[in-house]
Amino acid sequence: MRIHDALSGFVLALLAIAVLVTVSQYPPTPGQNVGPSAFPGLLGILLLGCSLLLIWRGLRGERQALVRLGDWTRSLPHVVNFLLVIAALLFYIFCANFLGFIITGILILSALFYSLGVRILLILPIAAGATLLIHTIFYKLLRVPLPWGLLQGMHW
């Protein structure tokens, strides 16, 4: 898939403007010249500058379609797998707090492995092992509070 540079630049410019508007509302830090909006604001300005260059480059270049779909979009298995990934992300967003990270992760990985043709006997052990590894890295090492959901009270 190919997206026109001007369209990509426009989307990035909108993101940069949203960042700049958001950080403009941050309160200043008393007694300091640099507040909490300094570095995000600097990144927003840099992103806006790069996006404007991208728009300019796209508009002065050769004429082409705004979006050109790749060959994979004409393959039903590829489109189904793409939509399954989107569905898995939505499932995580809406169900992770209730079910918990571990249950949700195992269900999502199992569905994706099945869709991708992983042997049935390997799906559950790999999905469970990968989920527990990811959970351990985020929960124990990085101290990211992942939702326990139905497993509340079973902390290790």
Side-chain angles (χ1 to χ4, degrees):
M1 180 154 75
R2 170 99 169 101
I3 299 174
H4 195 277
D5 286 345
L7 182 59
S8 298
F10 179 73
V11 171
L12 290 174
L14 290 177
L15 175 65
I17 291 168
V19 167
L20 292 172
V21 168
T22 301
V23 300
S24 71
Q25 299 169 3
Y26 289 175
T29 303
Q32 293 186 2
N33 292 334
V34 178
S37 64
F39 293 113
L42 176 63
L43 291 177
I45 290 170
L46 291 173
L47 180 60
L48 184 60
C50 291
S51 64
L52 292 175
L53 286 173
L54 195 56
I55 292 170
W56 179 71
R57 178 182 157 195
L59 292 177
R60 80 171 187 27
E62 64 185 55
R63 301 206 38 100
Q64 60 183 15
L66 288 179
V67 176
R68 188 177 65 218
L69 299 177
D71 292 336
W72 69 269
T73 59
R74 291 183 274 291
S75 167
L76 184 61
H78 288 96
V79 172
V80 168
N81 286 336
F82 172 77
L83 294 175
L84 188 59
V85 169
I86 301 298
L89 292 171
L90 291 173
F91 180 76
Y92 181 83
I93 290 169
F94 292 114
C95 298
N97 284 333
F98 175 72
L99 295 175
F101 177 84
I102 294 174
I103 295 173
T104 306
I106 291 172
L107 290 173
I108 288 172
L109 287 178
S110 296
L112 292 174
F113 288 159
Y114 181 78
S115 172
L116 294 171
V118 174
R119 290 192 317 223
I120 300 275
L121 292 175
L122 296 177
I123 290 175
L124 194 56
I126 294 174
T131 301
L132 291 174
L133 177 67
I134 293 167
H135 183 272
T136 301
I137 291 170
F138 277 88
Y139 193 79
K140 298 286 186 181
L141 299 177
L142 299 175
R143 300 198 185 278
V144 174
L146 298 172
W148 285 99
L150 298 176
L151 300 178
Q152 186 69 34
M154 300 177 123
H155 301 243
W156 292 291

